[in-house]
Amino acid sequence: MRVTVLSGGVGGARFTRGLLALLAQRLPDDAGGTTAEVTVIANTGDDMWLHGVRVCPDLDTLMYTLGGGVHEGQGWGRRDESSRVSTDLAAYGLGWEWFTLGDLDLATHLARTELLRAGQPLSSVTERLASRWRPGVRLLPMSDEEVETHVELADGRLIHFEEWWVRHHATVPARRFVQVGLAGAAPAPGVLDALARADVVVLPPSNPVVSVGTILAIPGIRDAVRDAPAPVVGISPVIGGAPVRGMADACLTAIGVETSAAAVARHYGRRAEGGVLDAWLVDEVDADAVPGLADEGWAVAAASTLMSDVPATAAIAARALALVDRLP
Ligand code: FO1
């Protein structure tokens, strides 16, 4: 069985960890994993150059979370981390005090930068780094080209997404998001194939605007999802009118979309009407949205979608897969 997931950072990584647990139960291999093939297409719009190294937040969150090295409380960065280097960099007046690199995390960025400087594309570098962590999935960047999400503020200034997200906690109103480098970007090797060959495509509860939205904006990827023979199912990142984590509401507001489970579904759109989804899973607190969406032709269900732990997340993945099993 082949599953392809379009993922941002924390939400998508936690969902994929639960999906792998479910698949290990349903399709076990002889090593505690699964015979299913899971490919994760990761957002690289949060990426940046910092201190001369290339930082890929969502790729690293996926690699560390699925590889067992993540700082669980934060959802990003390494467990047992230290900050000696970033503290000393600050003594030189370099870096941002609101966005620092841990000492162990720095090893990942140094390794990535060394391999990029040697001429390897990001997809090859990611494969090499992931081989150490053994995440149990094929981890693909959405593109080998640099595409960075910048935020246009009301006064016209453009700042990097991470500055808006981490320094300003998305409280400064965003006029729009600009994917710098998008026009020259192509899907990374393996991305279109992973969508064409999947038995199911999943849009997990990642940020629908700056994470999944950025992946879909790469020329060719949205069409590849729309044309995929497989059913496409999404899980709402919004529960009861608010994002579970992060500040997806600020992103949705910036593009004029209401922060509700139904509004996010309509934002993605049904494939029958030119969108990318066939099915949508909402939380029980949003069960009142189910009849309306069903009347519009959605395959839709309400279930507990809070990814409180791995078993709960495995159950969410099971409900999402069951939803597309019902599709004609
Ligand atoms: N988030 C923070 O809130 N503060 C940080 O200092 C910070 C550093 C950092 C370094 C590497 C990395 O891969 C991620 C980091 N993050 C930090 C998290 C980052 O903002 C998120 O992972 C995503 O970019 C948002 O989805």
Side-chain angles (χ1 to χ4, degrees):
M1 177 185 190
R2 291 187 287 265
V3 184
T4 296
V5 181
L6 278 65
S7 175
V10 182
R14 285 188 173 153
F15 174 81
T16 305
R17 188 165 57 180
L19 172 68
L20 286 171
L22 174 75
L23 293 171
Q25 286 165 8
R26 289 187 172 176
L27 300 165
D29 63 9
D30 53 9
T34 176
T35 56
E37 290 172 29
V38 179
T39 301
V40 180
I41 300 169
N43 168 49
T44 54
D46 296 359
D47 296 6
M48 69 173 71
W49 287 102
L50 182 58
H51 306 307
V53 294
R54 189 69 179 164
V55 180
C56 301
D58 288 354
L59 278 170
D60 293 345
T61 290
L62 283 155
M63 188 169 69
Y64 294 156
T65 300
L66 302 178
V70 75
H71 183 302
E72 197 62 43
Q74 275 179 177
W76 54 267
R78 294 278 289 272
R79 62 155 58 127
D80 309 328
E81 184 59 282
S82 54
S83 55
R84 298 187 68 195
V85 173
S86 63
T87 303
D88 211 63
L89 279 166
Y92 286 113
L94 293 175
W96 297 311
E97 72 285 355
W98 45 271
F99 192 98
T100 56
L101 302 178
D103 298 332
L104 298 178
D105 196 35
L106 204 49
T108 298
H109 308 313
L110 286 169
R112 177 184 294 119
T113 304
E114 175 178 336
L115 296 170
L116 287 172
R117 288 276 187 262
Q120 288 193 33
L122 181 59
S123 45
S124 306
V125 174
T126 301
E127 189 175 1
R128 166 72 180 276
L129 300 180
S131 65
R132 165 203 169 166
W133 290 97
R134 306 169 63 75
V137 303
R138 192 157 62 115
L139 189 52
L140 300 178
M142 65 189 188
S143 174
D144 277 340
E145 285 75 48
E146 291 183 14
V147 179
E148 292 188 6
T149 302
H150 287 238
V151 183
E152 183 178 298
L153 308 179
D155 60 9
R157 265 187 314 140
L158 272 181
I159 61 175
H160 190 282
F161 168 76
E162 289 291 0
E163 180 168 6
W164 182 69
W165 189 259
V166 176
R167 184 180 196 178
H168 301 296
H169 303 289
T171 55
V172 177
R175 189 185 289 171
R176 66 191 178 108
F177 298 102
V178 179
Q179 270 79 29
V180 178
L182 187 65
V191 164
L192 298 182
D193 188 54
L195 291 167
R197 294 171 65 241
D199 296 305
V200 60
V201 176
V202 185
L203 272 53
S206 283
N207 187 310
V209 182
V210 291
S211 297
V212 178
T214 299
I215 299 169
L216 291 171
I218 298 295
I221 292 185
R222 177 182 294 276
D223 288 344
V225 175
R226 286 184 35 69
D227 300 341
V232 185
V233 57
I235 296 95
S236 176
V238 171
I239 297 181
V244 174
R245 189 186 184 284
M247 300 155 282
D249 45 346
C251 302
L252 288 164
T253 303
I255 64 167
V257 175
E258 181 197 75
T259 300
S260 73
V264 175
R266 296 189 180 105
H267 169 63
Y268 280 131
R270 247 171 12 105
R271 268 206 293 190
E273 294 161 347
V276 293
L277 282 175
D278 300 314
W280 188 241
L281 186 65
V282 306
D283 191 84
E284 286 154 341
V285 305
D286 297 304
D288 56 341
V290 169
L293 287 169
D295 288 348
E296 291 171 21
W298 286 89
V300 56
S304 169
T305 61
L306 203 56
M307 302 189 287
S308 47
D309 57 23
V310 175
T313 309
I316 297 166
R319 287 300 303 266
L321 296 183
L323 201 47
V324 289
D325 278 348
R326 281 178 13 204
L327 289 180

